[in-house]
Structures are given as structure tokens and as C-alpha cells.
Amino acid sequence: MQQVMTKLDRFTALAKKAVNFDKLPANVKAQFDNRAANVFCFNDLKDQEINEATAKYYLAAIID
């Protein structure tokens, strides 16, 4: 389980970097970590390599 959390943290951090998190509206920022976790779990990303391309691919689902 620790490995899954590490990948989730990496996924969330890369997604925040890709979207320029500091410039997002407050309501989107407040939901970002939760939505990233939902996208991560829904798409079963625990067995995939997590890199910038992965985060960018799923970014629209997180902030939409």
C-alpha cells in the first residue's frame, strides 16, 4: 500500500506542476488533491509508470 500512496503523491505533484497550480481558481485548488486521487483510482494507475506525460494526459479529468 505504501507504494501506491507514493505513486499517487507523485501523480498529484506532477499534475500540479503541469497545470501551474498556483494560478488556478481557489475552488479548483480546494478540490484538486481529491479529484487527482479519484482519477488515479478510477483509471487504476497504480501499476502504470507515473511521469509527466501520464499526469498531463489525465489533467483534463482532474480540473474539468
Side-chain angles (χ1 to χ4, degrees):
M1 189 63 176
Q2 183 63 31
Q3 183 181 10
V4 173
M5 289 305 296
T6 302
K7 283 190 171 188
L8 173 57
D9 292 340
R10 179 166 169 70
F11 176 74
T12 303
L14 287 170
K16 284 180 177 180
K17 180 181 174 187
V19 76
N20 201 354
F21 184 74
D22 292 335
K23 295 190 178 191
L24 290 175
N27 61 329
V28 176
K29 284 183 185 179
Q31 299 282 329
F32 197 92
D33 287 358
N34 247 359
R35 292 183 63 113
N38 288 342
V39 168
F40 184 88
C41 293
F42 182 79
N43 291 287
D44 200 23
L45 300 179
K46 70 182 184 306
D47 294 327
Q48 290 189 20
E49 181 181 343
I50 302 301
N51 54 35
E52 287 185 38
T54 308
K56 285 180 182 178
Y57 181 81
Y58 289 103
L59 194 56
I62 295 170
I63 61 174
D64 191 20

